[in-house]
Amino acid sequence: MAKIGVFCDFDGTITESDNIINIMKHFAPPQWEGIKNQVLNQEISIKEGVGKMFSLLPSNLKGDLTDFILENAKIRDGFQLFADYLAQENIPLYIVSGGIDFFVTPVLEKYGPFKAVFCNSSDFSGDKIKILWPHSCDEKCENNCGCCKPSIMRRLEDEDTLKVVIGDSVTDLEAAKQADFVIARDLLLEKSKEMNLNHNSFETFYDCIEVIKKLNEVRV
Ligand code: MG
Ligand code: ZN
């Protein structure tokens, strides 16, 4: 029996909105917006932009930031059932996130365990927050992603596995191009249509369960 592997984004996918943006809106001095715009205009990489934004925040905010996210992050409907369904079917669920460990890990804690969680990490030992990049781009990616989703997929790659990518944004696009099937919303949905990728749209994780069920039937 062929296998399925699911690679799922975190911000804007598992959570309904982007946690880095929410943190910056709430805690950062106004210059974070300029950095965000430079990223959106592709003047600087995501990695450089995220690093610069967090370097605006003092390290002693750590507890406040984590509390803020735990109180405000809204999990998309059906996620627990989705995680349970995949576990029951022995389908590995890899979380691949451009978010940061200090909020990704506590938010996900009660829904796991997952096959693996890949995200950026953080150093609160200096005056300002420093972001660390344990999953940087391999030699085949030149996007300076920060947490490089296509590199992670290549590392875990297995010819027999039907790779499913779930995501919402352009930050998932390179991963989506490498996938056998994409489950998309928002900008990633538009891009998937434009590029004729094999895809379905989703609004909740109940939708994702239905898609995986269909793929699973075909593969058996
Ligand atoms: Mg996202
Ligand atoms: Zn990359």
Side-chain angles (χ1 to χ4, degrees), residues 9-13 18 149 167-169 171-172:
D9 174 50
F10 182 75
D11 285 273
T13 299
D18 188 289
K149 301 182 186 199
D168 71 302
S169 175
T171 52
D172 303 300

Side-chain angles (χ1 to χ4, degrees), residues 14 27 43 46 48 50 53-55 58 88 108-109 122 131 138 144 155-156 170 181 187 190 219:
I14 295 175
F27 292 95
E43 289 162 36
I46 296 174
E48 186 180 353
V50 170
M53 281 193 253
F54 276 97
S55 75
Q88 171 203 319
L108 284 177
E109 201 172 14
S122 45
I131 304 302
D138 64 16
N144 212 7
R155 198 145 46 77
L156 299 170
V170 281
F181 202 90
L187 262 173
E190 284 172 35
R219 299 292 287 185

Side-chain angles (χ1 to χ4, degrees), residues 24 89 111 126 129 131 207:
M24 293 303 150
E89 295 291 321
Y111 301 95
I129 299 172
I131 304 302
D207 304 331

Side-chain angles (χ1 to χ4, degrees), residues 173-184:
L173 185 58
E174 293 305 314
K177 285 186 200 166
Q178 282 189 38
D180 298 294
F181 202 90
V182 183
I183 309 178

